[in-house]
Amino acid sequence: MNKITLLLATLTLAALALTACATKTETPTLSGTSWKLTSYGEVEAQTPAADGIDTRVDFGSDGNVSGTMGCNRFSGSYTQQDGQITFGPLMATKMACPDLPMTQESVAFGVLVGTVRTEWTQNQLSIYSEDGKMMILLEPN
């Protein structure tokens, strides 16, 4: 009977160890994902993204990020680590657009600078500016 008790105890400990490993939360990777803008602006006073304006942020598996926030196309590099994204310099086209798309784009481009904090759930990606005052909210595209 002692051998059975020892075996059951060993199996129970092994199961607990596997469960702990399976529930460990790892930071999901943005590599290969695409997002659209939902809102932007001050963290506590978000402005909804303009209707009918194409927005997109694509995080490539090659470390490149590209997209549009409503007017100009942009591209650059990024790295992701421990709930943060570090953006390399972003390059963008220089088209003039109506006020609303330009305002939306200006705020978003101001957030996608340097090393920024992120919060990610399955349905939303929040990216905060370096100073934490501004944010863009994205959802899967």
Side-chain angles (χ1 to χ4, degrees), residues 40-41 102-112 134-136:
Y40 62 94
M102 287 302 294
T103 300
Q104 178 173 283
E105 179 176 277
S106 177
V107 171
F109 282 177
V111 171
L112 303 176
M134 304 295 277
M135 179 184 88
I136 59 174

Side-chain angles (χ1 to χ4, degrees), residues 11-63:
L11 290 174
T12 301
L13 288 173
L16 288 173
L18 289 174
T19 302
C21 290
T23 59
K24 180 182 175 188
T25 304
E26 291 186 19
T27 303
T29 180
L30 290 169
S31 177
T33 63
S34 181
W35 303 83
K36 65 181 176 181
L37 186 67
T38 301
S39 64
Y40 62 94
E42 294 179 23
V43 172
E44 299 299 324
Q46 289 280 288
T47 300
D51 287 333
I53 296 176
D54 180 40
T55 61
R56 181 182 200 100
V57 180
D58 297 319
F59 292 95
S61 56
D62 59 357

Side-chain angles (χ1 to χ4, degrees), residues 65-96:
V65 61
S66 62
T68 181
M69 283 295 152
C71 182
N72 291 287
R73 301 270 318 145
F74 70 90
S75 63
S77 63
Y78 80 97
T79 56
Q80 178 189 8
Q81 184 175 356
D82 299 328
Q84 294 185 322
I85 303 171
T86 301
F87 291 98
L90 297 180
M91 298 176 286
T93 57
K94 296 191 184 268
M95 297 186 304

